[in-house]
Amino acid sequence: MTRFGLLGPLVVTDSEGDVLRLRSERQKALLAVLLCHANEPVRTDLLVETLWPERPPKSYASNLHTYLSRLRDRLPGLEIDHAADGYRMCVPSEDVDALVFTSSLASARDAAGGGDLLGAATRFRRALELWRGPALADVHVPTLYPVLSTWEQERLTATEEWAEAALALGAHAEVITELRPFLTRNPLRERAAALLMVALLRAGRQAEALAVYTATRSTLVRELGVEPTEELRRTHAAVLRGEDIGPAPISLSAVVRAPTPWPVRQLPADVVGFTGRDRELGELVAALSGSVPVPVVVVSGAPGVGKSALALRAAHEVAGDFPDGHLYVHLTGVSAPQDPGAALADVLRALGVAGPLIPDDVHARAALLRATLAGRRVLVVLDDAASAEQVHPLLPGTPGCAVLVTSRRRLSGLAATHRLTVAPMTDEEALTLLGDLVGSGRMHADPAAAHRIVTACGRLPLALRIAGTRLIRRPELTPRHLADRLDDQRTRLRELALSDRDVAGSIAISYDSLDTRSRWALRGFALCGDVSIPGWVAEVLVGEDDVDQVIDELVEASLLTSTETDGTGEPRYRLHALIRVFAQAHSDASRTPGEQLAALRRITDAAIGLADAAARQLPWTLPLPALTGEDPPPPQPLPRATVARLVDDPHVWFETERNNLVAVMGSIFRIGWRREAMLLLERLTTFLWLQGAFADLRECHDTMRRAAVDAGEPEIAAWSAAYLAMLAHARGEHAEAVRRYRSVVTELADAGRTRETGWLTANLGTCLIGLGRPAEGLAEIERAARLLDDDPAGLHQCDTARSYALTRLGRLDDALDSSRRALARGRMCGDPVRVALSLDGLAWNLALDGDWQHAGELADEAVSLARTLPVRSLLARSLRTLGAVAAGKGARAEAVAAYTEAHDIARRLGERPRELSCLRALASAWIGDGRAAEAVVALRRCLSEFESMGSVASTAITWRVLARAHKAVGDLTSAEHADTEADRLLNPDDRGAARLISALLVLTRDAGHASAYPASPPVSGCS
């Protein structure tokens, strides 16, 4: 039989009494935690924290399983079972000295209560003899400190209880021998001092008894700044008079048997107008009513979120389950936390314990409370707790009771059976609460204003009740007027203060409890605005060494919400809107403008550095040179290892931070950091263009252009205007793009930006070709080539665009020459993107020349190369060309597959012209599949959009295919009209349009096996 000793250094002995050595400190720590909770489930997270207190490895689960297996191997017969979400060690109570100590104490106290003083003294002595020194003296496990502290206090109290019983038996000499060294080690134990004084007096040593009092009083005054308690002073007075009195005996069973006002009813009245929270209320009721012997339920959340109201409602819901009563203790929060000893005294008096019978020692009071509640069914509500240490002494110890705790802090050190973090209300709940307060009619009269009030209040019940009360007290104050006042962040918190209710004051209580570093970090987070905050921002603000501690403190205080771990592995956080407003106000008060800007600058520099490191791993695919590409980013405040980890996958990093970067771009510029804003935006543009995220691109560059105009920065304004022109071009808005190109080309030429002027001129030429003006477009392209004569990439762009113009003008031989020059330049540059682009262009021109075999080979090569690149737009373009070449060759299945894939990619990227051209090709195939009616619908929608884009050639081609669709459904009149329109618009010199029409008409031929082809893409997307 294996026995375990915890009351001293950890000792394990086998059935022969031989000591079994454990091989590692982690084995000892794991065994200690399981033994301290013997026969009870121990959560996996507690075991993990025990073994790896700093940061667990990624494989912690398998590592933990290995440690448990080794422990079982080392200690044969050891029973460690899975239990709930953890493990349980099953061991007989008599084999663990700590469990024997606990049961012996209970037996001794029962004997004392029954008047068996000799039995009590004997059992107390046996219990104390189990101690070999400080519990688990050779095991360092911080998670066990609360348990070990409780055991130690029980030992001290048991020593005093033994002394009291021994004195009653006349063993004062033995008491003196025991208590003198005891009091030396524990000089603040007033009860022990009183007992020793009585023993000395009975031994005829009055002077020594008085010296004990003098020494104890001096220690109390010096160490704690307090005078002795009434009991010790009364004993001192009796010793001075030579009277033989002892401290009032504490018979626990007698106290329990004393008349008690059962049932105790201390719950405050239920909250009037409580609204919503159905899910949270159900969760609390279930947790308090479950099968756990003593449920300890912790409700935490941000200031003003409604923790106490929710807890009170839950307490009233389950009140009937606790017939012996309901205790309510307001612990007064973190600003002035109530002493747990004073709270215990109040609770004991409420339970009928007379003042003289209440021990001085906190731990003795806690033991008395547990004894008093034993066998009872009582609900204990501890409201606004400041810490786990404040709560521990107030917890019942026997089944039947339940505890409901509310706190601003998460109370992570408390072994709760259930935790609920209260979030702000939902929009629906918040609107209902506001309507209940003010009157639904008044809110329904202006729903927009009601929503604005709810948003400004951050859906916090405290803020909503204050706003509602303002509207009630002032009938002339309309919801719209109040919403206008709340919209101003500078005065919002002043508006949300009324009488003794104050949102800012509520937040300030939690804020004031923070240390200096955590306050600094909170203010820094607030300066970032309403964004999702990645962990690296905290590292920038407070440093790598302190970041974990600061984050833990803010999350524990419910001032910062942990939301998720992002794709880069970074934890992400968010500030509630009102906490952010509060912290911003304190930033203004606590920092100089220079300090605030310095904090923001470090965050901005880190973001630019990360964006630069990510963008350098991506290809530059925009038809414009990078304006700041050669400019170095500012110094990176983050460690290199952190940067490398975050941007290991640049796509993931950009996608993760995309919303934040879009949101802050304009703010960075308006601060005055214009170069930095351009650096960040250009690197973000690399990614957004690659992804086809045109809406975000438009928002960023439009914001930058307007800010630059306001700041008198014409060159930056022109830079953003150039991107806006390219966006219009990419979306097929050709007429708008031409207007924008002409304007920005003039501005950049006047500014002497020759290279950028050349690139944009080439883009202008391409756009003019799309409008059906190839001669005009070719002239612009030639002008661009002259401006770019020393720019290989720019000349490649001109060759590609020139080939496009020449095919439209019927000059196919010249177009082929231009395509071949483009391919040669692309290969010389060593740029795979340009090579793939050139292969695609040359393949199409060869198809126009009738060389289908060579065209197909080059188209296949372009697609294969594009698949190896992260440029999805290029792949869609190459697939579309492959589809056209395959159609021209009569390879119907290959054409449909290529067009389908190209269509899907273009759709995801938002490249509308390419998506429509692929849909037109697929509609051609539907005609041949016997689905001409569907084709008519799709083609008409394509036609409408091509016309709105001003794309003449695309419109003409679509009319021709639509004519074939109308003929297939028997509508010859519409077919004739469509052919007439096609004839009117088609340029007879445009070899490309003619060849594409021919290929598409091949697809319209009767396929005879419609089911072999994919279902049609959703036509609704074409509108």
Side-chain angles (χ1 to χ4, degrees):
M1 180 179 295
T2 307
R3 295 185 181 274
F4 304 93
L6 307 180
L7 303 181
L10 178 62
V11 174
V12 184
T13 57
D14 61 16
S15 57
E16 301 299 324
D18 295 329
V19 175
L20 300 175
R21 304 286 181 187
L22 296 177
R23 294 189 177 91
S24 71
E25 292 302 315
R26 282 189 173 146
Q27 268 193 351
K28 292 169 68 175
L30 182 60
L31 178 61
V33 172
L34 291 169
L35 285 170
C36 285
H37 301 86
N39 304 313
E40 298 176 358
V42 183
R43 299 191 319 276
T44 298
D45 59 349
L46 178 61
L47 295 175
V48 171
E49 185 180 354
T50 297
L51 294 174
W52 301 282
E54 296 299 326
R55 177 172 294 179
K58 292 182 179 179
S59 58
Y60 69 83
S62 60
N63 290 3
L64 173 60
H65 182 74
T66 299
Y67 277 114
L68 289 168
S69 297
R70 290 176 180 171
L71 196 58
R72 292 189 189 97
D73 294 341
R74 182 60 182 152
L75 304 176
L78 192 64
E79 291 187 37
I80 304 176
D81 304 324
H82 281 285
D85 59 347
Y87 296 87
R88 173 174 50 229
M89 182 173 175
C90 300
V91 59
S93 298
E94 62 269 19
D95 291 346
V96 183
D97 60 0
L99 299 181
V100 175
F101 172 71
T102 301
S103 62
S104 297
L105 283 190
S107 176
R109 287 164 179 162
D110 286 342
D116 181 8
L117 295 179
L118 179 58
T122 302
R123 292 166 190 170
F124 277 127
R125 171 59 69 190
R126 287 176 183 167
L128 291 167
E129 286 173 349
L130 294 168
W131 285 78
R132 297 170 285 108
L136 294 174
D138 59 340
V139 179
H140 175 67
V141 182
T143 57
L144 290 181
Y145 289 170
V147 175
L148 302 184
S149 175
T150 299
W151 288 354
E152 175 64 14
Q153 293 303 322
E154 286 281 42
R155 183 184 71 82
L156 299 178
T157 302
T159 301
E160 293 166 342
E161 291 177 294
W162 166 83
E164 186 177 338
L167 273 178
L169 294 169
H172 46 269
E174 188 177 353
V175 171
I176 293 171
T177 301
E178 190 71 34
L179 286 190
R180 269 201 181 281
F182 176 87
L183 196 60
T184 299
R185 293 190 300 270
N186 305 280
L188 299 177
R189 302 289 295 193
E190 295 183 66
R191 186 181 179 200
L195 290 166
L196 179 58
M197 290 170 67
V198 171
L200 288 166
L201 180 64
R202 290 181 182 177
R205 297 154 68 176
Q206 183 182 24
E208 291 180 56
L210 293 173
V212 169
Y213 175 80
T214 300
T216 302
R217 179 183 179 278
S218 297
T219 302
L220 288 168
V221 171
R222 183 178 65 255
E223 298 291 334
L224 303 179
V226 298
E227 290 289 338
T229 60
E230 175 62 28
E231 180 185 355
L232 187 55
R233 292 199 304 271
R234 187 173 65 247
T235 303
H236 176 239
V239 171
L240 282 173
R241 295 192 302 269
E243 296 179 3
D244 183 5
I245 68 164
I250 300 178
S251 175
L252 297 180
S253 60
V255 172
V256 173
R257 292 196 301 268
T260 309
W262 303 108
V264 180
R265 305 291 192 201
Q266 289 191 331
L267 281 184
D270 201 357
V271 180
V272 176
F274 186 89
T275 299
R277 303 294 196 188
D278 293 338
R279 180 190 62 79
E280 294 92 338
L281 191 59
E283 188 175 331
L284 290 181
V285 169
L288 291 168
S289 308
S291 59
V292 179
V294 183
V296 178
V297 180
V298 175
V299 179
S300 61
V305 80
K307 303 176 292 293
S308 296
L310 175 61
L312 271 180
R313 171 52 62 92
H316 281 281
E317 288 272 339
V318 301
D321 296 339
F322 299 93
D324 292 319
H326 324 112
L327 292 169
Y328 176 84
V329 184
H330 186 245
L331 294 173
T332 65
V334 296
S335 59
Q338 185 181 19
D339 177 69
L344 280 165
D346 291 341
V347 171
L348 289 169
R349 280 190 288 269
L351 295 177
V353 180
L357 297 178
I358 297 176
D360 294 326
D361 181 76
V362 171
H363 300 284
R365 289 180 180 181
L368 180 55
L369 174 64
R370 293 194 293 271
T372 305
L373 294 178
R376 300 280 185 180
R377 290 189 59 78
V378 176
L379 174 64
V380 181
V381 179
L382 305 176
D383 193 17
D384 204 7
S387 65
E389 292 73 20
Q390 187 188 34
V391 171
H392 278 134
L394 293 159
L395 299 179
T398 54
C401 295
V403 183
L404 181 57
V405 187
T406 72
S407 178
R408 295 163 177 266
R409 304 184 67 81
R410 298 196 172 210
L411 304 185
S412 300
L414 188 64
T417 60
H418 188 83
R419 295 181 181 275
L420 173 65
T421 301
V422 184
M425 293 179 129
T426 65
D427 284 338
E428 182 181 356
E429 288 174 335
L431 288 167
T432 301
L433 175 59
L434 194 60
D436 289 348
L437 290 168
V438 180
S440 57
R442 195 171 173 191
M443 289 294 97
H444 289 161
D446 194 345
H451 277 90
R452 288 170 58 204
I453 292 172
V454 164
T455 300
C457 291
R459 308 190 310 281
L460 285 185
L462 174 61
L464 290 164
R465 289 184 179 278
I466 293 172
T469 303
R470 280 194 175 279
L471 290 171
I472 294 169
R473 288 188 177 184
R474 296 184 55 187
E476 83 284 357
L477 182 64
T478 66
R480 183 177 298 277
H481 187 195
L482 178 60
D484 290 341
R485 291 162 64 166
L486 291 173
D487 280 345
D488 189 345
Q489 289 195 14
R490 296 168 299 179
T491 60
R492 184 181 301 171
L493 292 177
R494 288 204 301 269
E495 294 292 335
L496 294 176
L498 194 65
S499 300
D500 61 339
R501 290 187 290 182
D502 180 1
V503 171
S506 181
I507 298 172
I509 292 172
S510 296
Y511 176 81
D512 292 341
S513 71
L514 300 174
D515 59 31
T516 302
R517 293 171 308 167
S518 300
R519 293 184 192 180
W520 169 268
L522 186 71
R523 297 193 299 263
F525 291 156
L527 292 174
C528 295
D530 184 15
V531 298
S532 169
I533 304 166
W536 58 262
V537 169
E539 190 172 334
V540 169
L541 288 171
V542 298
E544 186 178 10
D545 294 338
D546 295 334
V547 62
D548 288 338
Q549 186 175 349
V550 167
I551 290 293
D552 287 346
E553 173 66 10
L554 292 173
V555 172
E556 179 72 18
S558 299
L559 292 173
L560 186 69
T561 300
S562 175
T563 57
E564 62 177 342
T565 298
D566 64 32
T568 69
E570 280 290 276
R572 300 194 78 85
Y573 308 93
R574 186 169 285 279
L575 287 178
H576 185 274
L578 293 179
I579 294 176
R580 185 178 69 254
V581 172
F582 174 91
Q584 286 172 342
H586 275 66
S587 289
D588 294 341
S590 304
R591 301 182 185 181
T592 66
E595 289 174 320
Q596 293 182 51
L597 285 177
L600 267 179
R601 183 55 189 262
R602 286 197 300 276
I603 297 170
T604 302
D605 288 351
I608 293 171
L610 288 167
D612 184 75
R616 288 181 186 278
Q617 302 177 62
L618 301 176
W620 177 265
T621 58
L622 288 94
L624 182 70
L627 189 64
T628 65
E630 302 305 317
D631 294 351
Q636 173 60 268
L638 288 170
R640 288 185 179 180
T642 300
V643 173
R645 174 176 59 80
L646 289 172
V647 301
D648 180 57
D649 186 330
H651 295 275
V652 171
W653 186 83
F654 270 122
E655 190 58 48
T656 298
E657 299 296 349
R658 171 173 163 178
N659 291 338
N660 281 354
L661 297 176
V662 170
V664 303
M665 200 68 62
S667 300
I668 294 173
F669 187 94
R670 283 187 287 271
I671 289 173
W673 301 334
R674 294 163 187 174
R675 172 182 170 274
E676 289 76 10
M678 291 175 66
L679 282 169
L680 185 57
L681 179 52
E682 193 156 71
R683 280 135 187 86
L684 176 61
T685 297
T686 304
F687 170 76
L688 294 178
W689 185 270
L690 204 57
Q691 297 297 309
F694 296 153
D696 283 345
L697 271 172
R698 183 180 291 109
E699 179 180 345
C700 287
H701 282 285
D702 192 52
T703 298
M704 183 72 78
R705 184 192 61 78
R706 286 186 278 106
V709 170
D710 292 342
E713 292 279 1
E715 191 170 325
I716 298 175
W719 175 73
S720 275
Y723 283 102
L724 292 171
M726 289 190 298
L727 285 169
H729 190 172
R731 290 288 298 167
E733 300 163 1
H734 293 103
E736 174 65 14
V738 166
R739 183 188 66 78
R740 288 178 178 269
Y741 277 135
R742 291 197 188 281
S743 174
V744 74
V745 161
T746 301
E747 293 176 30
L748 289 175
D750 291 345
R753 307 291 302 205
T754 303
R755 187 177 181 220
E756 290 79 9
T757 301
W759 275 82
L760 290 168
T761 301
N763 294 345
L764 170 61
T766 306
C767 200
L768 288 166
I769 299 168
L771 284 172
R773 294 148 64 182
E776 189 178 348
L778 181 60
E780 294 292 348
I781 292 165
E782 298 299 350
R783 176 169 168 256
R786 291 191 293 273
L787 294 171
L788 296 170
D789 60 353
D790 58 350
D791 182 351
L795 290 174
H796 174 273
Q797 178 78 356
C798 290
D799 282 333
T800 302
R802 183 185 292 111
S803 173
Y804 181 34
L806 291 169
T807 60
R808 292 296 179 91
L809 292 170
R811 296 165 56 184
L812 187 54
D813 290 341
D814 292 337
L816 279 166
D817 289 343
S818 189
S819 291
R820 291 187 176 104
R821 277 198 307 275
L823 179 58
R825 288 188 198 276
R827 294 193 191 279
M828 286 178 58
C829 291
D831 182 350
V833 173
R834 299 194 183 281
V835 170
L837 189 65
S838 301
L839 286 169
D840 173 78
L842 182 55
W844 180 237
N845 281 335
L846 287 170
L848 299 184
D849 198 36
D851 188 354
W852 294 106
Q853 183 62 33
H854 194 193
E857 292 170 358
L858 292 182
D860 275 331
E861 185 180 352
V863 169
S864 297
L865 180 56
R867 290 194 190 280
T868 68
L869 303 172
V871 190
R872 305 298 292 170
S873 176
L874 176 59
L875 178 58
R877 175 182 178 137
S878 300
L879 282 165
R880 184 181 63 174
T881 299
L882 178 62
V885 172
K889 292 178 358 182
R892 180 187 182 81
E894 182 184 352
V896 170
Y899 272 126
T900 299
E901 186 179 357
H903 171 273
D904 293 343
I905 295 172
R907 183 184 182 87
R908 286 193 295 272
L909 293 176
E911 293 183 342
R912 199 62 175 153
R914 187 165 294 137
E915 179 189 348
L916 291 170
S917 64
C918 291
L919 179 59
R920 177 181 62 201
L922 293 173
S924 301
W926 301 345
I927 298 170
D929 291 340
R931 296 156 56 192
E934 293 177 59
V936 168
V937 174
L939 290 167
R940 283 202 171 278
R941 296 198 177 187
C942 292
L943 186 65
S944 174
E945 291 206 42
F946 281 135
E947 286 177 337
S948 68
M949 293 176 184
S951 180
V952 177
S954 295
T955 303
I957 295 167
T958 307
W959 274 118
R960 187 69 80 202
V961 178
L962 181 59
R964 181 61 60 89
H966 282 308
K967 289 175 183 176
V969 297
D971 187 355
L972 299 181
T973 301
S974 296
E976 183 179 355
H977 171 71
D979 274 330
T980 301
E981 287 298 309
D983 291 340
R984 181 177 66 84
L985 294 173
L986 278 171
N987 176 358
D989 294 328
D990 189 345
R991 295 280 295 277
R995 183 64 75 181
L996 181 56
I997 289 172
S998 175
L1000 294 178
L1001 292 181
V1002 170
L1003 292 178
T1004 67
R1005 295 171 185 167
D1006 183 8
H1009 49 292
S1011 61
Y1013 298 100
S1016 58
V1019 174
S1020 59
C1022 301
S1023 58

